[in-house]
Amino acid sequence: MDIIIVGFGAIGKGVAKVLHEKKEYLEKNYEEFRVVAITDSSGAAVDENGLDLLKAIEVKEKTRKIKNYPEKGKEISSIDVIRNVEADVVVEVTPSNLETGEPAKTHILESFKNKKHVVTANKGPLALCYKELIEEAKKYNVIFRHEASVGGAMPIINLAKETLAGNKILSIKGILNGTTNYILTKMEKEGLDFETALKEAKELGIAETDPTQDIEGLDTAAKIVILANSIMGMNKTIKDVKVKGIKRITPEALFLANKRGYTIKLIGQIKDGYLIVEPMLVPIDSPLNVKRTLNVAMFETDLAKEVVVVGRGAGPIETASAILSDLIHIYNSIKK
């Protein structure tokens, strides 16, 4: 199965690393998963016989540009690669843009038009124009998978749609942002104020240099929009979410909550057609009370009742785990 990786930052490199590590496993159980092109903002490396993934990672880390890949590197846009390089699947892992969804939206639509299946971890286009993407995938008769867009390694979307098939999902709530959960855990356990906990999270690389999307709840809002649309059949965008971040939470508020048997968590919730992201009181003994950077999602269903999944919501290898599972699904659908 031939693959194009579009975007070669932390997650793109994570995908390359995982495909390299799982090479024998994939060849034994399926067939060769061959990466025939990798693109970034500098250009691309293209080889229809398959690129050397370790060499690609090394070139990117040393020179920051994939076009410097020996002999196979060139200055060419991602769109031209999608149009002109023969492949079965495009893995779209450029940075998420929650304002316009670009350039990922164009990459995804162009892949569909060129009869390529798509796996993405990109929240932007999914949070802004989910319905359009699903309709275009149907129109061109291609598979569109995006497990990695919510909850990193956690199987949330595929669990609800495949494992829990036949159940009506009545509500979904959970912690879908590791940065804010880490900050709240530090504030609760060590009595740190918000700014100090944020500074520490930045130093450890848990928070981004500009953590606005995380701490203001926008990252969680994008993720619950994706869940509402993909699992519960809604047609929502990020503008439909009532959002409140964690900036105003104090160590005193957490201390008082603890005394009453609760903690405070940034919860994303879909219930009765409403989408809400805000700090909420969570009982200390609730399965939603996970610590540090862990994520958790709880489904309330008609048959299975409550189902809870906990896991690592971020990290290149964790996210690549979900991408690999989507790639295997596509392989099983098209090659058998």
Side-chain angles (χ1 to χ4, degrees):
M1 188 164 83
D2 288 346
I3 298 162
I4 296 170
I5 299 175
V6 176
F8 208 48
I11 294 175
K13 286 188 293 186
V15 172
K17 204 170 184 176
V18 163
L19 287 172
H20 172 76
E21 282 173 12
K22 294 284 179 179
K23 190 171 162 48
E24 271 181 44
Y25 166 83
L26 292 167
E27 284 174 11
K28 186 175 164 214
N29 292 283
Y30 308 99
E31 65 177 9
E32 188 182 358
F33 280 32
R34 194 166 54 176
V35 176
V36 292
I38 296 171
T39 79
D40 65 9
S41 52
S42 76
V46 181
D47 184 350
E48 64 268 19
N49 296 315
L51 292 161
D52 178 331
L53 297 177
L54 290 186
K55 187 184 284 181
I57 292 166
E58 187 188 340
V59 166
K60 178 71 177 182
E61 286 179 348
K62 278 189 180 160
T63 73
R64 307 183 71 159
K65 294 176 179 179
I66 196 62
K67 71 171 186 186
N68 294 331
Y69 187 101
E71 293 172 30
K72 306 292 181 183
K74 52 177 97 174
E75 279 190 31
I76 179 174
S77 72
S78 295
I79 290 294
D80 284 337
V81 169
I82 290 165
R83 284 179 183 152
N84 301 318
V85 175
E86 290 221 358
D88 300 294
V89 191
V90 171
V91 173
E92 211 298 337
V93 282
T94 59
S96 284
N97 177 332
L98 293 180
E99 280 161 27
T100 64
E102 295 296 355
K105 181 186 173 186
T106 302
H107 293 155
I108 293 167
L109 291 173
E110 202 56 44
S111 302
F112 293 163
K113 282 178 195 158
N114 287 275
K115 293 280 193 277
K116 292 176 170 76
H117 307 289
V118 174
V119 174
T120 190
N122 207 307
K123 295 182 295 287
L126 291 162
L128 296 167
C129 46
Y130 182 82
K131 195 164 180 253
E132 181 191 346
L133 295 173
I134 293 301
E135 284 170 357
E136 288 293 297
K138 272 188 189 151
K139 179 174 150 188
Y140 290 103
N141 196 25
V142 289
I143 301 167
F144 180 40
R145 303 278 288 191
H146 49 86
E147 178 62 68
S149 63
V150 181
M154 290 160 65
I156 298 182
I157 296 166
N158 300 338
L159 175 80
K161 291 177 84 166
E162 290 159 19
T163 314
L164 292 173
N167 276 266
K168 184 177 186 193
I169 310 281
L170 307 169
S171 73
I172 304 172
K173 65 177 172 182
I175 295 166
L176 298 170
N177 182 274
T179 304
T180 48
N181 205 43
Y182 179 85
I183 291 168
L184 290 172
T185 302
K186 287 303 258 188
M187 289 171 69
E188 179 182 42
K189 294 288 171 228
E190 297 175 26
L192 304 181
D193 62 27
F194 172 78
E195 290 300 337
T196 310
L198 173 60
K199 187 169 173 280
E200 189 178 307
K202 277 188 184 175
E203 283 164 4
L204 292 168
I206 289 165
E208 311 232 354
T209 322
D210 176 7
T212 312
Q213 284 188 0
D214 293 328
I215 60 181
E216 289 186 358
L218 293 170
D219 176 75
T220 301
K223 289 167 179 171
I224 66 164
V225 166
I226 295 167
L227 297 180
N229 294 342
S230 61
I231 293 172
M232 298 174 82
M234 296 182 188
N235 183 21
K236 302 284 188 185
T237 75
I238 203 157
K239 295 175 187 71
D240 298 312
V241 190
K242 183 186 156 209
V243 189
K244 203 170 169 185
I246 64 163
K247 264 186 177 164
R248 295 196 172 163
I249 303 294
T250 62
E252 292 76 25
L254 281 154
F255 176 73
L256 289 170
N258 280 177
K259 275 181 82 170
R260 290 169 47 207
Y262 290 88
T263 183
I264 299 170
K265 296 289 187 186
L266 184 68
I267 300 288
Q269 180 168 304
I270 310 158
K271 193 172 185 178
D272 304 327
Y274 292 100
L275 278 63
I276 298 166
V277 174
E278 64 183 12
M280 295 183 195
L281 286 169
V282 169
I284 293 274
D285 60 358
S286 164
L288 291 177
N289 183 16
V290 298
K291 302 296 182 197
R292 298 176 73 86
T293 55
L294 282 177
N295 281 202
V296 57
M298 179 188 278
F299 301 103
E300 188 195 343
T301 75
D302 59 346
L303 305 175
K305 305 302 182 248
E306 285 90 16
V307 176
V308 180
V309 56
V310 178
R312 295 184 180 213
I317 300 301
E318 291 84 348
T319 305
S321 149
I323 289 170
L324 179 62
S325 119
D326 278 348
L327 286 169
I328 290 170
H329 172 90
I330 289 174
Y331 171 83
N332 285 334
S333 304
I334 65 175
K335 297 286 185 180
K336 287 198 167 176

